[in-house]
Amino acid sequence: MANATDHLWMHFTRMASYPDGEVPTIVRGDGAYIWDAHGRRYLDGLAGLFVVNAGHGRTELAEAAAKQGAELGYFPLWSYAHPRAIELAERIASLTPGDLNRVFFTSGGSEAVESAWKLARAYFKRVGKPMKHKVVSRYLAYHGTSMGALSITGLPGLKVDFEPLVPGGIKVPNTNFYRAPEHGDSPEAFGRWAADEIQRAIEREGPDTVAAVFLEPVQNAGGCFPPPPGYFQRVREICDAYDVLLVSDEVICSWGRLGEYFGATRYGYQPDIITTAKGLTSGYSPLGAMIASDRLMEPFLTETGMFAHGVTFGGHPVSCAVALANLDVFAREDLNGHVRANEAAFRATLEKLLDLPIVGDVRGDGYFYGIELVKDKTTRPMFTDAESERLLRGFLSHALFDAGLYCRADDRGDPVIQLSPPLVADQQHFDEMEQILRTVLTKAWSLL
């Protein structure tokens, strides 16, 4: 639609990119595909934004929203409850690892992360450790855009316009083994080193000042960094030793993205808090949650106790109804099992691209992969800013979409292409992705 730029301020968008051109406008979706306003079909290789896990066009989710809206369109959770929030909280608690039984609803992921930091601060004040307020997170990791979540985020370029931020954010190395040649061929040794960097950061800052460590099961920004073997188990030991909360930021990695309801389950570690959103409703209505252990709720159960935090649309009745219907789809169709059964084929199909000179690494788990692009596979030199700009924004982003694949070409770190399709995708979709990527990346190499 030609007037899209007249009034609509798009998110994370260079608005000057469309001075004379048309903004791509998506009008319909079905399964793993989307259609634009001209009727052209694209494979949704990113599930919208790591969101549409159950796939597009699920009429039962729309019907659940309509039914709930007619019954009770809105009521807040401020000293009141409504049936769908009660039911959904109970259902989520039945799926979480360990004693994560307390569900605090938000509107989305940034609010969930913000809530987790606020809870960590408030909890330690109530248990007699008021100086514990800082948080540790990883370099390049993305944790949200609100001021607290942005302070936890490890992407310097996203922060410049908004500094000074909330003090207390501490950064440690991420788990990009591809860029860690000093650790040789031992992912285990690399994982131990990366985890121990968290310990060293806590000790430098002073354990009595550090409240929490925020980690994604698979780090998104930078291009899908899975955890090395033993990494999370060592982090759990460190957090226990210094009385620091382990927050598993699963805004992306929950609800089947890694073949389990929660990424912590996949990698066998026990968080104190999980933050989640996106796939909880498969994007059919906005909803997020902070899920905390029973221990963290205890100081707030006194007669005058209160967690002085809340959001207007957290636990919205319509969104909760959609989430319940979405989880019904997961159970009925065993979407987690589908991912586990097909993830090896997905990986193998993408790894075919390693024969291209521009493809340096293919990494990820489940239905969540990053393809790192290189100028030289042997020396792995970094792209300059100008080269990255020319490669990603000047060519790849448009060329992939024009070829029929919606995905993400990202340079928050070294240039990568990220793939995170709806969980209903199968081999035909994997093959389609590989063929489009092969054609476009071959041309990209000729332009370098």
Side-chain angles (χ1 to χ4, degrees):
M1 299 181 181
N3 63 347
T5 58
D6 292 346
H7 305 288
L8 179 63
W9 197 331
M10 290 172 284
H11 298 203
F12 283 107
T13 300
R14 295 180 179 182
M15 298 297 288
S17 298
Y18 309 102
D20 303 310
E22 182 181 353
V23 177
T25 303
I26 305 304
V27 299
R28 184 168 67 90
D30 183 56
Y33 292 96
I34 53 174
W35 282 259
D36 68 14
H38 300 291
R40 186 175 180 192
R41 191 184 78 167
Y42 305 85
L43 177 59
D44 183 357
L46 204 62
L49 193 64
F50 319 102
V51 170
V52 191
N53 289 7
H56 297 277
R58 292 279 189 175
T59 55
E60 63 263 54
L61 302 190
E63 290 165 357
K67 180 180 178 182
Q68 179 59 46
E71 179 182 301
L72 179 67
Y74 173 75
F75 210 78
L77 296 180
W78 300 47
S79 301
Y80 295 87
H82 58 76
R84 299 294 85 75
I86 297 169
E87 186 180 353
L88 181 59
E90 181 179 13
R91 190 156 181 184
I92 290 173
S94 74
L95 301 173
T96 54
D99 69 340
L100 273 69
N101 295 317
R102 306 293 183 160
V103 182
F104 184 96
F105 287 116
T106 65
S107 306
S110 291
E111 287 179 356
V113 170
E114 198 88 13
S115 300
W117 192 1
K118 291 181 77 172
L119 175 59
R121 287 183 166 205
Y123 169 78
F124 281 118
K125 281 183 170 59
R126 279 162 176 75
V127 297
K129 298 184 178 182
M131 293 300 293
K132 291 177 81 70
H133 67 282
K134 300 174 185 175
V135 291
V136 178
S137 60
R138 296 184 291 204
Y139 176 62
L140 293 183
Y142 177 85
H143 292 283
T145 55
S146 56
M147 293 300 278
L150 187 58
S151 301
I152 300 171
T153 290
L155 293 158
L158 292 187
K159 303 182 180 189
V160 175
D161 282 347
F162 311 108
E163 292 175 324
L165 298 175
V166 180
I170 306 157
K171 302 300 174 286
V172 295
N174 57 47
T175 59
N176 184 1
F177 186 62
Y178 183 69
R179 291 289 177 180
E182 68 273 16
H183 295 280
D185 297 323
S186 175
E188 291 84 0
F190 172 60
R192 176 64 184 234
W193 170 83
D196 284 347
E197 283 296 297
I198 294 173
Q199 178 178 359
R200 285 186 274 273
I202 293 171
E203 290 175 344
R204 283 194 303 269
E205 296 293 326
D208 60 337
T209 71
V210 179
V213 175
F214 280 71
L215 302 173
E216 297 166 278
V218 174
Q219 182 175 317
N220 168 34
C224 299
F225 305 147
Y231 174 80
F232 274 111
Q233 287 67 34
R234 176 59 182 150
V235 173
R236 181 70 266 178
E237 290 176 359
I238 293 166
C239 289
D240 289 342
Y242 293 99
D243 194 16
V244 171
L245 304 182
L246 175 53
V247 181
S248 189
D249 184 355
E250 307 210 15
V251 171
I252 289 175
C253 290
S254 51
W255 312 117
R257 183 53 52 195
L258 301 175
E260 300 284 352
Y261 283 113
F262 295 99
T265 303
R266 166 143 191 166
Y267 299 119
Y269 64 95
Q270 181 59 52
D272 299 294
I273 299 173
I274 287 176
T275 56
T276 186
K278 294 187 184 286
L280 176 54
T281 64
S282 286
Y284 284 72
S285 191
L287 187 65
M290 172 190 69
I291 313 164
S293 69
D294 289 328
R295 172 173 71 101
L296 300 183
M297 171 68 99
E298 287 176 5
F300 302 94
L301 295 177
T302 64
E303 185 175 343
T304 59
M306 177 181 67
F307 181 39
H309 176 59
V311 291
T312 299
F313 292 112
H316 192 285
V318 172
S319 296
C320 289
V322 171
L324 287 163
N326 183 54
L327 293 179
D328 287 342
V329 171
F330 267 77
R332 184 176 69 246
E333 300 183 12
D334 189 18
L335 291 182
N336 287 323
H338 180 78
V339 171
R340 292 193 299 270
N342 288 279
E343 66 175 337
F346 188 26
R347 178 190 290 273
T349 303
L350 294 179
E351 285 180 342
K352 293 179 182 179
L353 298 168
L354 286 168
D355 67 350
L356 299 177
I358 197 173
V359 176
D361 194 27
V362 174
R363 56 179 177 257
D365 275 325
Y367 273 26
F368 189 29
Y369 275 86
I371 300 171
E372 183 164 333
L373 308 181
V374 293
K375 294 185 288 184
D376 187 300
K377 288 192 178 188
T378 303
T379 60
R380 304 177 190 177
M382 310 287 280
F383 281 78
T384 67
D385 290 345
E387 289 171 335
S388 182
E389 178 78 15
R390 186 168 67 250
L391 176 65
L392 269 66
R393 294 175 187 83
F395 177 70
L396 279 176
S397 293
H398 302 291
L400 288 166
F401 190 68
D402 290 344
L405 176 62
Y406 166 71
C407 60
R408 170 182 272 180
D410 190 15
D411 62 349
R412 297 177 297 178
D414 295 292
V416 298
I417 294 172
Q418 285 186 288
L419 298 162
S420 178
L423 307 187
V424 296
D426 56 24
Q427 189 61 53
Q428 67 169 344
H429 303 109
F430 307 154
D431 289 338
E432 185 176 350
M433 282 184 232
E434 191 271 340
Q435 291 161 14
I436 292 173
L437 287 164
R438 178 171 295 277
T439 299
V440 174
L441 289 175
T442 299
K443 186 172 182 180
W445 177 253
S446 70
L447 297 175
L448 277 179

